Amino acid sequence: MENIIEIKGIRKVYRVGSEKVVALDNIDLSIGKGEICCLLGTSGSGKSTLLNLMAGLEKPSRGEIIIKNIHVEKLDEKRLVLFRQKYIGFVFQSYNLLPSLTALENVGLPLAFKGIPRRIRDKKSKQMLHSVGLTSHNNRKPSQMSGGQQQRVGIARAFVGNPEIVFADEPTGNLDSKTTSEVMNLITDIARKSNQTLIIVTHDTNIAKYADRIIHILDGNIEKIEAVTPLGAITN
């Protein structure tokens, strides 16, 4: 499998007053193209920090993050914005929909940022809303939808531009168990059909079982990596 992400010797240290807090310590990790990986750990383990570093939302204190042969840690903010527009999609725990926009408009935002004409982005957005089961919700605003429906809009927005990598940070944290299962099946099915790399951050072992590999993060280090079989059994 071709690697799309290479992490080499990553360390992240935060200053809290006069203290230094080590969030990540010497992380090495490779993620293949089309692979579904889960970063699993408790609150404060460093899993969200690792995702933020891969997405270029934070800079490492030391080490390399190479995505599509691009050194993300060396990009300035302007190039990071273009990098994310071209290659990255995001699914957030809190949905992050703009309340004043309809579902169709929210889904089309990544395309609007790329300068794609409205007629084309509306067509693509309608197709994505149909694929997540919200054909009749095009003109509804977030306040007119349930949490599960809002997260489906968030998924449609993440995938509408056909990004090669999608980061999902606690994507079901605000959902009930039935909706959680529906959302996870939806995210993983879309990613697998398009051979997209999906990286999920969670503290929930049940969510982790949707991945091909589980990367256990503990105290800023990779504790272990497990492979998940199609039946959900886990092997070292």
Side-chain angles (χ1 to χ4, degrees):
M1 181 186 295
E2 173 193 356
N3 287 330
I4 193 169
I5 299 174
E6 293 276 359
I7 296 168
K8 300 178 181 180
I10 281 296
R11 179 177 171 86
K12 179 64 178 179
V13 179
Y14 295 101
R15 283 194 172 273
V16 181
S18 60
E19 299 290 322
K20 287 184 178 180
V21 177
V22 179
L24 294 171
D25 189 18
N26 200 36
I27 296 285
D28 293 303
L29 181 64
S30 297
I31 297 174
K33 180 175 174 57
E35 186 176 15
I36 297 177
C37 281
C38 177
L39 305 179
L40 178 67
T42 57
S43 177
S45 62
K47 61 187 187 298
S48 291
T49 299
L50 182 54
L51 181 146
N52 288 341
L53 291 174
M54 285 190 278
L57 300 174
E58 297 184 51
K59 294 285 188 182
S61 302
R62 186 182 69 206
E64 300 173 277
I65 303 166
I66 305 164
I67 301 178
K68 296 282 295 179
N69 295 318
I70 297 168
H71 276 265
V72 175
E73 82 280 1
K74 294 180 180 179
L75 298 179
D76 59 27
E77 192 55 42
K78 183 177 180 180
R79 288 188 293 167
L80 275 170
V81 169
L82 295 174
F83 170 81
R84 286 192 287 264
Q85 285 180 0
K86 188 172 183 180
Y87 297 117
I88 307 296
F90 292 94
V91 180
F92 303 96
Q93 176 180 349
S94 55
Y95 322 134
N96 283 21
L97 303 180
L98 294 183
S100 62
L101 301 184
T102 65
L104 188 71
E105 291 166 337
N106 268 290
V107 173
L109 277 176
L111 305 179
F113 292 143
K114 290 181 179 181
I116 294 174
R118 179 161 187 168
R119 179 180 58 82
I120 296 174
R121 67 176 186 259
D122 281 356
K123 181 180 179 181
K124 288 180 177 289
S125 298
K126 286 177 182 178
Q127 290 171 342
M128 277 306 307
L129 283 169
H130 175 73
S131 72
V132 300
L134 294 179
T135 303
S136 62
H137 290 61
N138 290 344
N139 296 317
R140 292 192 188 182
K141 293 185 176 179
S143 62
Q144 299 171 307
M145 294 182 282
S146 68
Q149 289 168 342
Q150 289 183 63
Q151 190 59 298
R152 286 171 179 263
V153 174
I155 292 166
R157 179 185 58 195
F159 284 94
V160 71
N162 196 32
E164 293 193 48
I165 302 166
V166 174
F167 293 115
D169 192 358
E170 298 281 6
T172 61
N174 292 334
L175 305 176
D176 60 51
S177 58
K178 180 177 181 294
T179 310
T180 289
S181 179
E182 293 172 354
V183 164
M184 288 309 303
N185 283 321
L186 189 59
I187 294 175
T188 52
D189 285 350
I190 294 173
R192 291 191 195 283
K193 285 176 182 176
S194 299
N195 196 35
Q196 290 161 296
T197 302
L198 175 62
I199 299 169
I200 304 161
V201 167
T202 188
H203 64 276
D204 188 340
T205 55
N206 291 318
I207 299 300
K209 291 176 183 177
Y210 285 86
D212 300 317
R213 282 194 302 159
I214 303 172
I215 293 92
H216 292 257
I217 309 291
L218 179 66
D219 297 332
N221 291 281
I222 294 178
E223 181 187 24
K224 61 180 177 179
I225 298 177
E226 295 176 313
V228 182
T229 72
L231 295 177
I234 299 176
T235 58
N236 291 324

